[in-house]
Amino acid sequence: MSATAVATTCPYCGVGCGVLAERRPDGGWRVRGDPDHPANAGRLCSKGAALAETLDLEDRLLHPELRGRRVSWNVALDHVAAEFKRIIQAHGPQAVAFYVSGQLLTEDYYVANKLMKGYLGAANIDTNSRLCMSSSVAGHQRAFGADAVPCSYADLELADLLVLVGSNAAWCHPVLWQRMLESRRARPEVKIVVIDPRRTATAAEADLFLPLRSGTDTMLFNGLLHHLNRESALNWSFLEHRTEGYAAAFAAARDSAPSIPAVAAACGLDAEDVARFYRMFTRTERVVTCYSQGVNQSSSGTDKVNSIINCHLATGRIGRPGMGPFSLTGQPNAMGGREVGGLANQLAAHMHLDNPDHRDCVQRFWKSPVIAQTAGLKAVDMFRAVGRGEIKAVWIMATNPVVSLPDADAVRAALAGCELVVVSDCVRHTDTTALAHVLLPAQAWGEKEGTVTNSERRISRQRAFLAPPGETRPDWWIVSEVARRMGFGDAFRYQSAADIFREHAALSAYENHNRRDFDLGGLAGIDDDSYDALRPVQWPLPAAMRERLPLPLRERAGGRGKPSPADSPPSPRKGVGVESRGTARMFADGRFFHPGGRARLVPIQPRPPACAPDEEYPLALNTGRVRDHWHTMTRTGKSARLSAHAPEPCIDIHPADAERSGLVRDQLACIESRWGSAVGRVRISDAQRPGEVFMPMHWNDQYAARARVDAVVNPAVDPHSGQPELKHTPVRIAPLRPAWEAVLFGVADPPAESAHWVRVRGNGGGRVHAAGLQWPRAGPPVAAGWLPPPAPGEELIEYADVAAGRYRAALLRGGRLRACVFAMRGGDLRPHIEWLDGLMGHQQPLSVADRMALLSGQPPRNGVDAGPLVCACFGVGRNTILKAARDGCRSVDDIGRALNAGSNCGSCRAEIRELLNAAS
Ligand SMILES: Nc1nc2c(c(=O)[nH]1)N[C@H]1C(S)=C(S)[C@@H](COP(=O)(O)OP(=O)(O)OC[C@H]3O[C@@H](n4cnc5c(=O)[nH]c(N)nc54)[C@H](O)[C@@H]3O)O[C@H]1N2
Ligand SMILES: Nc1nc2c(c(=O)[nH]1)N[C@H]1C(S)=C(S)[C@@H](COP(=O)(O)OP(=O)(O)OC[C@H]3O[C@@H](n4cnc5c(=O)[nH]c(N)nc54)[C@H](O)[C@@H]3O)O[C@H]1N2
Ligand code: SF4
Ligand SMILES: [Mo]
């Protein structure tokens, strides 16, 4: 590590990779993997590797605003406090709400939860984690009596069988995926099974891929449970001594999934494949089952989780090396949010809102005037209540619900009609900030201090390495200031994130006596220096484990929130396996957190998705992520490198459905449901199941016209968790037949005549893909207005074929390409995007050959054309890989040696393999 490197944690996914931020000689920043962080040991994925490209201040929210006017912090904070007070006095505490996020740091989250539940006295605080892992939380609580993730990442390497259910880890948890693939490479006996309706990049690398019909996971796992029973593969000693409820679970499994053919028929799978999966699971002791949104985001999400956990409990494969059900969390601090009780049905420190002793315990610890008595509204219901006018003030922090909640047009309408909308964000223009009355500028990643917890319960520090710009402040400060102005100053007098962390850790240990899984007693009194130096550590970490910490911790004299003297130091806790640094594995001693200490098998009755496709809406819409974008693109949309892999919103569809719907490749199409519509470009692919289409969740009104897929998504929720069914909405699809299409390079805004458009960050600045319903009657001169008028010293070169409806123009300055436009009546406009984008990025005048080829839109014959981007880490294109294949590269590793492609994050390895197969 160089002298100036700051060790911090990647702000993207729940893998929680350690990164080092270092100053470059030119004053910029370089971000690389931290070799000493246990989650990644130096590895990074394409998003982590491009972090330095997203640090600029373009479109940052730098000052507080009140109704569109810049105001001082004092004015903004006084306004928020006074309005919340006024509304609570007039309508009661249920009339206000906070909607927060798994992208807040634990300290921010803790303070927001404390203010709502302990001081405003309601529990109307929910989080976008409701959309993300609330089914896993509910499943864990049903099975274990606590929301505890049993495994560690190390178990992925100790396992002989890795089952991935509803997880596209190759794109969404790339560093974990790399660890899995490396394990298989080192020990070829390791097998990987992927269960997903789509043949994803993850599925492409699997030893066995089960493309099950969307929503049928409970059938598959009930079938597995029954199979294990029939094959006498159960661990009876574990079942008898450590669990309860198994008889009912076995009966439900037998009745619903009596045979392999029955399961195969229900899941739309080949019976041989099902049998093979069941055999592999039965015969392999060391199994880890990883699952993510294909499981959670379902109206039977909690049941899916328990159907998986049932199989692990029935075989006793939990709490032991290389075994266990493993929920891969999405956001960087999804887990931290659970620890502080950020969900509307939880209390702080893994205590339960419906338990009077817990309410009493938290209230005494906080010394708060009130404590919420009943669960608040869960995300989908919360915004419905805003829409009905029952919630009159909502404060949104670090999330973009107008894009990410289902039935998103209704969410937008609800906010538009709400009396007070406060938004804390880092970005000035989002679909949600557009509806805010008050905007509060938050410090962003790299500017703020605090902690996050990753999927394996490991707490890591996020450290600042940038000076906070403008008047931005940490989220915890913003919330504390409002609390102070509402009259709760004493309880919110924090000076630093460390102050809050100490209090959070102390609460987790308070009157715990080994009864609750979440215990950070070992960190409760740490001083500021120890907090600053804190190394990544896994909870539970009770006071008795202090000496095992990776760093000598100093006690802070009289620190806030130290455990009261009455709270004797806990003895080594039950239910945990101990490693030198905190707790690697939960339930190693077979003790769980239900009264009586047993785990529960839950009888599962498979249910179909909430809304089935019908004649009117015949296709099931699945949604999710692309490799290089993060959620609503506020960060990744700034990087040309990250925008190249999937530049436009797409709709993936099976060839048979495309034909039936009259769709051709690369055409614009509109999907429509009972709730709304969205437009994307058709990609025909047999990676889709017939009857199911897929559209990514990322695009929004800042980047495209009508591409918010959540406007289409049905708001049905899981009855246990309240998590919405984001992966299954009945839709229909129809071609959009624009009168013209155009691509405009070096242009920020779409032409006024466009009905549909997408903004893409390219090498030479922005570009716009546009389409319109009427070819401008005035013809090319109007189209020429789509480019900025040539400034003195600039030259405009044009080509127009009025009869054919073709128009092309380029603006050059000093021989360098500044902007260009390709427009065409009808469709089939295919200028060579990668080549033109490359020319836009050139710092030198165009070569004669390039200049001559320019308005043809195609690279000169002998020019270098790398083709569409495949490897984002090293910027290697499709054609370069195909050429290397022709030159003798046979394997993905050969390509890695020759071109580096695929050798960093590995997310593109499946794509490289497909290219090699196609070339051979
Ligand atoms: N590149 C990238 N990575 C990310 C994120 C990002 O925005 N971009 N976001 C992060 C966050 S917050 C999250 S929550 C995670 C999500 O990570 P993942 O859950 O891996 O990602 P998704 O694409 O949402 O969905 C996973 C898969 O579920 C499948 N699926 C749909 N329906 C079903 C079903 O009924 N059964 C089964 N078995 N599978 C089904 C989908 O086809 C999809 O391939 O990713 C994290 N990592
Ligand atoms: N159809 C469909 N919808 C989905 C999903 C899906 O698979 N399909 N997935 C769901 C899931 S799993 C998730 S996690 C959500 C994610 O959805 P969102 O949470 O809505 O998406 P983000 O773009 O991550 O929004 C984060 C916002 O917080 C801001 N921000 C970043 N850091 C900070 C900070 O430190 N402080 C503050 N105050 N603001 C900050 C960013 O600028 C951004 O505006 O989407 C959900 N919606
Ligand atoms: S896997 Fe990628 S996005 Fe996730 S934490 Fe690691 S570097 Fe960041
Ligand atoms: Mo998520």
Side-chain angles (χ1 to χ4, degrees), residues 7-27:
T8 179
T9 313
C10 175
Y12 293 121
C13 81
V15 178
C17 297
V19 302
L20 298 175
E22 298 162 304
R23 269 252 183 245
R24 283 195 321 242
D26 67 1

Side-chain angles (χ1 to χ4, degrees), residues 250-292:
F250 292 153
R254 181 199 56 222
D255 294 347
S256 60
S259 69
I260 288 177
V263 170
C267 300
L269 290 169
D270 194 79
E272 244 327 288
D273 287 346
V274 175
R276 207 174 135 212
F277 167 49
Y278 287 0
R279 250 189 334 264
M280 289 164 93
F281 196 102
T282 307
R283 292 179 189 169
T284 316
E285 184 71 355
R286 292 183 171 224
V287 186
V288 173
T289 308
C290 302
Y291 55 92
S292 191

Side-chain angles (χ1 to χ4, degrees), residues 136 140 165 167 289-292 295-296 305 308-309 325-328:
S136 283
H140 288 155
V165 196
S167 156
T289 308
C290 302
Y291 55 92
S292 191
V295 166
N296 293 333
V305 168
I308 292 169
I309 296 176
F326 200 169
S327 146
L328 302 182

Side-chain angles (χ1 to χ4, degrees), residues 525-596:
I526 70 170
D527 68 5
D528 289 353
D529 291 342
S530 303
Y531 178 77
D532 282 344
L534 186 69
R535 299 275 310 135
V537 64
Q538 282 174 291
W539 66 258
L541 203 154
M545 272 190 192
R546 278 177 79 86
E547 67 280 7
R548 297 173 197 270
L549 285 173
L551 178 104
L553 289 177
R554 279 182 307 231
E555 190 86 27
R556 186 178 142 104
R560 280 183 62 88
K562 273 184 68 178
S564 66
D567 196 29
S568 55
S571 48
R573 60 163 312 103
K574 65 176 185 184
V576 297
V578 178
E579 204 202 41
S580 60
R581 300 183 169 191
T583 306
R585 207 164 287 115
M586 304 288 292
F587 314 129
D589 63 358
R591 310 262 318 257
F592 296 85
F593 292 90
H594 283 301

Side-chain angles (χ1 to χ4, degrees), residues 101 103-105 108 128-129 131-133 293 297 330-331 396-401 403-406 424-427 430 440 442-445 448 475 623-625 630-635 695 697 709-710 713 723 726-727:
S101 158
Q103 290 169 76
L104 289 173
L105 305 184
D108 304 323
N128 65 356
S129 291
L131 319 176
C132 187
M133 21 73 353
Q293 300 315 341
Q297 290 173 341
Q331 297 180 92
I396 297 164
M397 303 176 209
T399 175
N400 194 355
V403 185
S404 53
L405 273 173
S424 302
D425 208 293
C426 314
V427 171
T430 73
L440 304 174
Q443 287 175 4
W445 180 76
K448 58 196 281 185
D475 287 285
T623 64
R625 287 144 178 88
W630 177 261
H631 296 168
T632 71
M633 301 168 69
T634 52
R635 238 187 315 244
M695 187 167 180
M697 63 168 291
V709 77
D710 272 301
V713 172
Q723 181 154 357
L726 299 169
K727 302 269 188 262

Side-chain angles (χ1 to χ4, degrees), residues 41-92:
R43 303 172 187 90
L44 286 184
C45 77
S46 49
K47 294 183 298 302
L51 271 168
E53 291 160 38
T54 64
L55 299 175
D56 67 72
L57 297 183
E58 194 189 321
D59 203 32
R60 272 295 296 274
L61 177 64
L62 295 174
H63 306 281
E65 286 181 28
L66 179 57
R67 296 188 188 274
R69 274 188 17 257
R70 179 172 165 183
V71 294
S72 68
W73 268 114
N74 256 330
V75 169
L77 294 166
D78 281 345
H79 182 81
V80 174
E83 283 293 283
F84 266 79
K85 261 177 101 166
R86 177 184 67 75
I87 290 170
I88 290 170
Q89 264 159 18
H91 306 282

Side-chain angles (χ1 to χ4, degrees), residues 834-850:
E834 294 79 19
W835 174 64
L836 290 163
D837 188 45
L839 296 186
M840 286 290 303
H842 276 343
Q843 299 306 314
Q844 285 89 35
L846 298 183
S847 70
V848 174
D850 282 341

